[in-house]
Amino acid sequence: MEIAVVDYKGGNVQSVLFALERLGAQPILTADPDVLRRADKVLFPGEGEASSAMEALREAGLDKVLPTLTQPFLGICLGMQLLGLHSEENDTPLLGLLPFSVQRFAPDAAHKVPHMGWNNLLALQGPLFAGLTEADHVYFVHSYYAPVGAYTTAQASHPAPFSAAVQHGNFHGVQFHTEKSGAVGTRILANFLAL
Amino acid sequence: MVKKRLIPCLDVRDGRTVKGIQFEGLRDAGDPVALAARYAREGADELVFLDITATNQRRQPLTELVRDVARVLDIPFTVGGGISTVADVEALLLSGADKVSINSAALARPGFIADLSRRFGSQCVVVAVDARLVDGEWQVMTRAGTQATGRQAVDWCREAADLGAGELLLTSMSHDGTKSGFALELTRAVSNAVSVPVIASGGAGQPSDFTEVFQAGGADAALAASIFHFNETALPALKQYLHAAGIHVRL
C-alpha cells in the first residue's frame, strides 16, 4: 500500500511520518502531483496559519491537485480546516471541498484559547471511529474551529460543540492530532489506513 | 471538556536525564528515550525535554536524541534549551518535536516570539519563564536562571502571550526540586492575566500539590520531574488520585 503525506513545507510532518511508521507503513513525503494521484491513501497534516498554508499550496500547485484526488484523504488539524470554504484567520479563502467557514474561539475565564490538550470525542460516526467511545480522548491544539454541520462525524466541546471530525465522500478531516493522541489516535490512523 | 494535563519533564545533559534542586546539584535519572517511552505508556499527557546545558554553553540541542525520543512517542513533545534562531526551531520540528520552548532568546529579543508564531503558528511556541521570589516580587531570570532581568513575571507573561506565545511554561525557581508544592499565587496571577494555557512547574512533591495547583493555582497543566523519575509517585496512581479529588484528567 502506498501512503503519501503531502509536503507543503508548512507543518510539522515528522510526527505523522513516525506515527505511520509505528503502524508498519512506509509513508512517502511528497508534493509531486503524480505520486499523490497514484497513492492508495493521502494524508495532509497541517499546522500554522491558514493564509500562509494556502499560499504554500498554491506555490506547489497543490490547491488544484488536492480537490481532484479520489482515494481516501485525511486532513489533520489545519489540514482539516483547509477543506472548508473560508477561514476567519486572516480572511482566507480555502479549498472549498466542505461547506463550512472556520471561526475563532472566543476565550473566557474557564475556556482558554488555543483549545490545547486532551478532550473527549462526542457523537462519533463512521469508519474512522470504529472501536472508540465517547470516553476516549484525543489531543487538540487550535484557536480556530469548524462549526457542527451535516458533514460532522465527531464533535468535541470548548465549551460549545464544534467539529472534531468531518467527512465528505473520500475527504476526511480531523481537528485533533491523530499522531499525538496515544492509543486512541493510533486506532483512528489504523482505521483510516483500512478504508 | 479539555482535561488538566500532567507533563513529565526530562532535563537532559550530555544525553542523560538529570535532575537538580533549584537548578543545581544534578543527579542522574536515566536514559531519556526509555523514560519517554515509559511515561507515554503510563499515561503522561505530554512530554517536555529540556537541554539544560544548551544556553550557557551556546550549544545546539541534540537533534538526534530528539529524533530518537519522537520516534517512540505518541503524545505531544516539547523541546527547549538554547533555541535562539528560526533555523533552530525548524531543525527541531523536522526531528519530530511538536512544540519548542524558548526562554533566554525571547527575553533578549521579544520579537523572536512573534517571528516564530508567524512562521510556525502559536500552537508550537511555548515561552518558558523562570521566576524567583525576591523581596516579595516575582522576578524573571534568564540564562538558565543565572541572571536577573529586572522584569516582573506577570508582566512578561502577558507580553509573551500578546506577542504570540501559544502556551506559558511557568517555573518557580524558588520551588524547583524542593517538593514543597507549586507557587500557587504566582500561577494564579499569571493564569488570570493571560488567555493562553499555563503550565505550572517547580515544587511538585505529593499528589495534593497537583490538586492545589489546578484548583487554587488555576493551572491548565502541571509539569514535574523528580517525583516521576525517582518513582516516588507513579503517573497512573496520581491520575486516579486527581480523578477522585474531582479534577478532570484523562484516564
Side-chain angles (χ1 to χ4, degrees), chain A residues 9-10 12 14-15 18 21-22 47-49 52 107 112-120 137 139 141 143 157-158 179-183 186, chain B residues 1-3 5 45-46 67 70-76 93-99 120-121 123 166-167 191 194-198 220 250:
Chain A
K9 313 288 179 205
N12 162 28
Q14 192 57 57
S15 295
F18 283 150
E21 285 169 10
R22 286 194 295 270
E47 261 182 24
E49 184 274 320
S52 27
K112 299 201 168 184
V113 177
H115 170 230
M116 182 181 285
W118 296 80
N119 205 335
N120 56 308
H137 287 74
Y139 185 81
V141 48
S143 300
S157 60
H158 187 66
E179 72 283 8
K180 287 287 146 182
S181 294
T186 302
Chain B
M1 174 190 290
V2 69
K3 304 303 184 288
R5 285 171 281 154
D45 295 307
E46 223 169 307
R67 182 170 286 268
R71 209 183 289 279
V72 301
L73 214 58
D74 58 5
I75 56 172
L93 295 181
L94 284 173
S95 303
D98 299 296
K99 314 179 196 179
F120 304 104
Q123 83 290 333
E167 197 169 27
S191 186
V194 300
S195 74
V196 299
V198 175
D220 300 282
R250 175 181 69 116

Side-chain angles (χ1 to χ4, degrees), chain B residues 22 138 171-185 187 200-213 222-224 227:
Chain B
Q22 293 180 328
W138 287 98
T171 299
S172 164
M173 288 185 63
S174 306
H175 294 68
D176 178 73
T178 63
K179 301 181 190 172
S180 58
F182 292 92
L184 299 179
E185 284 176 24
T187 306
S201 158
Q206 50 189 326
S208 60
D209 295 338
F210 290 87
T211 320
E212 285 177 4
V213 81
L223 178 141
I227 67 160

Side-chain angles (χ1 to χ4, degrees), chain B residues 42 207 233-243:
Chain B
E42 289 181 350
T233 304
L235 271 161
L238 177 56
K239 284 194 151 184
Q240 287 296 342
Y241 172 90
L242 291 172
H243 176 68

